[in-house]
């Protein structure tokens, strides 16, 4: 058993279950590096290299590299199509929206359908999915799109409606994205409800400057929140778009946020 610090709980990158085990008795903790809890993950020994080089989740059977970097407690899976438990899927970051008390794993897969079918139903908090057509967070283009399918067990829609449309909200809210390369901050600049026939919210290809300008104008026109009405937007901005699935009787909620600099993230 490997000890885990209580404030650094780890989760399986496949099924999302907590890997934190039973507490280590206080008198035995010095023998375990003063960690507070055992771990439920299983080490896989490599005879060739004479060392443990992979972890195994005892609940779902998923495997990942020993050296996989943690993103707020979730190992970031490498792109390994030969691994049947991976299929080219990975966790690329964590999403934190305003004051909502949760950080949601951001998943990516070459095949969104396979990923959703195999991994989404067993997660504890749910996921959001980075559109597989986007360039990702390392090379952000004009619009990076994230889709929510069951984040916070399908309750993200209600959370954001209450948070963003509350009369007490009188200032812009931030979105924080944490990746292995660091943190990125986005300030929410446009929020609205839309029908399934509307596609411009998710536009990712901008061939000319006028295309970008049309997209920026669209964000301004669609915005439903008064407190965001004076937000300065330009074609030089980089946007994060979060599309939240609603119930059959409700239209989808779309949240656009503009990438801001580190010094702005604290204001």
């Amino acid at each position: 058993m490997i000890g885990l610090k209580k404030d650094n709980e780890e989760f399986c990158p496949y099924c999302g279950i907590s890997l934190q085990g039973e507490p280590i008795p206080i008198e035995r903790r010095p023998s375990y590096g003063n960690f507070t809890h055992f771990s439920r993950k299983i080490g896989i020994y490599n005879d060739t290299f004479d060392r443990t080089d992979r972890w195994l989740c005892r609940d779902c059977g998923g495997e990942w590299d020993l050296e996989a970097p943690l993103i707020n407690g979730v190992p970031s899976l490498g792109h390994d199509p030969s691994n049947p438990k991976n299929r080219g899927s990975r966790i690329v970051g964590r999403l934190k929206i305003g004051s909502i008390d949760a950080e949601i794993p951001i998943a990516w897969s070459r095949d969104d359908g396979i990923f959703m079918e195999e991994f989404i139903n067993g997660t504890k908090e749910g996921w959001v999915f980075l559109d597989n057509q986007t360039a990702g967070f390392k090379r952000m283009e004009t619009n990076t799109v994230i889709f929510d399918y069951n984040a916070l067990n399908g309750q993200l829609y209600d959370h954001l409606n209450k948070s963003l449309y509350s009369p007490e909200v009188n200032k812009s809210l931030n979105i924080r994205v944490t990746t292995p390369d660091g943190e990125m901050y986005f300030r929410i600049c446009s929020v609205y409800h839309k029908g399934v026939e509307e596609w411009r919210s998710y536009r990712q290809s901008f061939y000319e400057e006028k295309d970008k300008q049309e997209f920026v104008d669209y964000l301004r026109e669609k915005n439903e929140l008064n407190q965001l009405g004076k937000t300065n937007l330009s074609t030089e901005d980089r946007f994060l778009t979060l599309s939240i699935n609603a119930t059959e009787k409700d239209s989808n909620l779309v949240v656009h946020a503009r990438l801001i600099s580190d010094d702005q993230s604290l204001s």
Side-chain angles (χ1 to χ4, degrees):
M1 288 289 188
I2 307 296
L4 281 175
K5 291 183 178 178
K6 188 175 182 180
D7 60 355
N8 191 28
E9 186 175 13
E10 191 174 339
F11 300 86
C12 173
Y14 296 102
C15 67
I17 197 167
S18 172
L19 297 172
Q20 192 173 79
E22 296 295 322
I24 300 174
I26 294 178
E27 65 277 9
R28 296 179 57 191
R29 290 179 185 176
S31 301
Y32 291 90
N34 289 319
F35 288 103
T36 60
H37 288 69
F38 292 109
S39 173
R40 298 177 59 253
K41 64 188 178 186
I42 300 172
I44 301 177
Y45 189 76
N46 187 318
D47 290 325
T48 303
F49 296 102
D50 191 25
R51 63 181 176 87
T52 297
D53 64 356
R54 295 184 67 77
W55 297 119
L56 170 71
C57 174
R58 64 177 67 237
D59 291 271
C60 71
E63 299 179 13
W64 62 96
D65 291 337
L66 189 71
E67 303 299 328
L70 291 180
I71 303 175
N72 290 3
V74 180
S76 177
L77 299 179
H79 187 176
D80 180 11
S82 65
N83 183 353
K85 288 294 183 179
N86 189 345
R87 295 198 178 182
S89 306
R90 55 183 167 175
I91 292 171
V92 296
R94 301 278 282 185
L95 184 74
K96 175 76 167 62
I97 306 175
S99 60
I100 295 177
D101 189 22
E103 287 194 90
I104 306 167
I106 304 171
W108 175 90
S109 174
R110 290 174 302 165
D111 188 326
D112 291 342
I114 290 178
F115 192 93
M116 285 185 286
E117 179 182 350
E118 295 194 354
F119 299 111
I120 196 171
N121 293 326
T123 63
K124 179 181 178 183
E125 293 288 353
W127 312 74
V128 292
F129 293 86
L130 183 66
D131 190 309
N132 61 13
Q133 300 299 314
T134 64
F137 296 114
K138 280 194 173 183
R139 186 173 61 87
M140 285 195 65
E141 298 178 352
T142 299
N143 191 28
T144 298
V145 182
I146 290 178
F147 294 99
D148 151 56
Y149 289 97
N150 79 332
L152 304 183
N153 292 322
Q155 297 303 306
L156 186 57
Y157 182 85
D158 292 334
H159 277 289
L160 283 175
N161 267 313
K162 292 177 182 178
S163 298
L164 293 171
Y165 286 86
S166 169
E168 288 76 26
V169 176
N170 55 15
K171 62 179 180 179
S172 298
L173 299 178
N174 285 358
I175 294 177
R176 184 181 73 208
V177 172
T178 305
T179 74
D181 298 314
E183 294 182 342
M184 307 173 72
Y185 289 87
F186 301 82
R187 184 153 295 161
I188 294 176
C189 60
S190 180
V191 180
Y192 51 89
H193 295 79
K194 74 170 201 63
V196 294
E197 74 285 351
E198 179 58 70
W199 59 269
R200 284 178 292 179
S201 306
Y202 313 140
R203 184 169 184 174
Q204 299 170 44
S205 299
F206 302 87
Y207 302 106
E208 299 180 14
E209 186 70 13
K210 68 179 183 65
D211 296 329
K212 295 181 181 180
Q213 188 61 58
E214 288 175 359
F215 180 71
V216 169
D217 293 341
Y218 176 80
L219 302 194
R220 291 197 188 100
E221 293 167 4
K222 292 290 290 184
N223 173 48
E224 298 174 354
L225 302 187
N226 291 331
Q227 68 267 26
L228 303 179
K230 296 181 178 179
T231 303
N232 293 321
L233 305 177
S234 80
T235 57
E236 299 298 319
D237 286 329
R238 296 293 179 264
F239 297 98
L240 180 71
T241 294
L242 179 61
S243 175
I244 298 98
N245 281 16
T247 62
E248 292 182 0
K249 64 179 181 179
D250 296 317
S251 56
N252 284 10
L253 180 67
V254 179
V255 177
H256 297 283
R258 176 175 58 90
L259 180 66
I260 58 179
S261 60
D262 292 338
D263 56 334
Q264 290 177 306
S265 66
L266 301 177
S267 60

